[in-house]
Short mmCIF file of all heavy atoms in Angstrom, two decimals:
data_model
loop_
_atom_site.label_atom_id
_atom_site.label_comp_id
_atom_site.label_asym_id
_atom_site.label_seq_id
_atom_site.Cartn_x
_atom_site.Cartn_y
_atom_site.Cartn_z
N LEU H 14 0.85 9.08 -14.38
CA LEU H 14 -0.59 9.34 -14.14
C LEU H 14 -1.41 8.59 -15.13
O LEU H 14 -2.35 7.86 -14.95
CB LEU H 14 -0.86 10.74 -14.06
CG LEU H 14 -2.19 11.30 -13.61
CD1 LEU H 14 -2.42 11.03 -12.22
CD2 LEU H 14 -2.27 12.82 -13.90
N VAL H 15 -1.10 8.95 -16.51
CA VAL H 15 -1.81 8.38 -17.49
C VAL H 15 -1.68 6.84 -17.59
O VAL H 15 -2.67 6.10 -17.98
CB VAL H 15 -1.42 9.11 -18.89
CG1 VAL H 15 -2.10 8.36 -20.02
CG2 VAL H 15 -1.83 10.53 -18.77
N GLU H 16 -0.57 6.31 -17.34
CA GLU H 16 -0.28 4.93 -17.31
C GLU H 16 -1.07 4.22 -16.23
O GLU H 16 -1.88 3.23 -16.48
CB GLU H 16 1.22 4.61 -16.96
CG GLU H 16 1.48 3.10 -17.00
CD GLU H 16 2.93 2.66 -16.74
OE1 GLU H 16 3.71 3.66 -16.24
OE2 GLU H 16 3.31 1.65 -17.03
N GLY H 17 -1.28 4.84 -15.09
CA GLY H 17 -2.14 4.33 -14.00
C GLY H 17 -3.58 4.38 -14.46
O GLY H 17 -4.42 3.31 -14.22
N TRP H 18 -4.04 5.47 -15.07
CA TRP H 18 -5.45 5.46 -15.55
C TRP H 18 -5.64 4.41 -16.66
O TRP H 18 -6.70 3.83 -16.71
CB TRP H 18 -5.70 6.86 -16.24
CG TRP H 18 -5.73 7.88 -15.22
CD1 TRP H 18 -5.84 7.91 -13.87
CD2 TRP H 18 -5.59 9.36 -15.59
NE1 TRP H 18 -5.81 9.10 -13.44
CE2 TRP H 18 -5.70 10.05 -14.35
CE3 TRP H 18 -5.55 10.04 -16.73
CZ2 TRP H 18 -5.65 11.48 -14.32
CZ3 TRP H 18 -5.45 11.46 -16.73
CH2 TRP H 18 -5.45 12.12 -15.51
N SER H 19 -4.59 4.18 -17.48
CA SER H 19 -4.77 3.10 -18.51
C SER H 19 -4.93 1.82 -18.03
O SER H 19 -5.67 1.06 -18.43
CB SER H 19 -3.55 3.23 -19.50
OG SER H 19 -3.37 4.49 -20.13
N GLN H 20 -4.11 1.50 -16.92
CA GLN H 20 -4.18 0.21 -16.32
C GLN H 20 -5.62 0.01 -15.63
O GLN H 20 -6.24 -1.14 -15.71
CB GLN H 20 -3.17 -0.04 -15.22
CG GLN H 20 -1.67 -0.07 -15.92
CD GLN H 20 -0.63 -0.01 -14.97
OE1 GLN H 20 -0.77 0.28 -13.75
NE2 GLN H 20 0.65 -0.24 -15.37
N ARG H 21 -6.05 1.03 -15.00
CA ARG H 21 -7.37 1.05 -14.39
C ARG H 21 -8.46 0.87 -15.54
O ARG H 21 -9.39 0.06 -15.22
CB ARG H 21 -7.61 2.33 -13.62
CG ARG H 21 -8.83 2.24 -12.92
CD ARG H 21 -9.12 3.51 -12.05
NE ARG H 21 -10.45 3.72 -11.70
CZ ARG H 21 -11.10 4.86 -11.29
NH1 ARG H 21 -10.30 6.00 -11.23
NH2 ARG H 21 -12.29 4.94 -11.04
N SER H 22 -8.30 1.42 -16.54
CA SER H 22 -9.21 1.38 -17.69
C SER H 22 -9.38 -0.09 -18.06
O SER H 22 -10.47 -0.50 -18.38
CB SER H 22 -8.77 2.33 -18.88
OG SER H 22 -9.59 2.15 -19.95
N VAL H 23 -8.24 -0.73 -18.32
CA VAL H 23 -8.26 -2.08 -18.77
C VAL H 23 -8.90 -3.06 -17.63
O VAL H 23 -9.62 -3.82 -17.89
CB VAL H 23 -6.78 -2.56 -19.09
CG1 VAL H 23 -6.72 -4.13 -19.23
CG2 VAL H 23 -6.33 -1.88 -20.25
N ARG H 24 -8.48 -2.75 -16.48
CA ARG H 24 -8.91 -3.58 -15.21
C ARG H 24 -10.33 -3.34 -15.04
O ARG H 24 -11.17 -4.41 -14.89
CB ARG H 24 -8.14 -3.09 -14.01
CG ARG H 24 -8.27 -3.98 -12.84
CD ARG H 24 -7.35 -3.65 -11.69
NE ARG H 24 -7.48 -2.18 -11.27
CZ ARG H 24 -6.59 -1.23 -11.53
NH1 ARG H 24 -5.49 -1.50 -12.03
NH2 ARG H 24 -6.82 -0.06 -11.01
N LEU H 29 -11.04 5.06 -21.18
CA LEU H 29 -10.00 5.86 -20.51
C LEU H 29 -10.47 7.26 -20.28
O LEU H 29 -10.06 7.92 -19.16
CB LEU H 29 -8.69 5.98 -21.45
CG LEU H 29 -7.48 6.68 -20.95
CD1 LEU H 29 -7.05 6.28 -19.52
CD2 LEU H 29 -6.44 6.55 -21.94
N ILE H 32 -12.29 7.30 -16.96
CA ILE H 32 -11.38 7.19 -15.86
C ILE H 32 -10.66 8.60 -15.54
O ILE H 32 -10.59 8.97 -14.47
CB ILE H 32 -10.35 6.14 -16.12
CG1 ILE H 32 -11.02 4.79 -16.32
CG2 ILE H 32 -9.20 6.05 -15.02
CD1 ILE H 32 -11.64 4.15 -15.09
#
Side-chain angles (χ1 to χ4, degrees):
L14 188 67
V15 174
E16 182 178 20
W18 294 343
S19 298
Q20 290 170 353
R21 182 175 164 204
S22 174
V23 170
R24 196 172 51 250
L29 181 57
I32 298 293

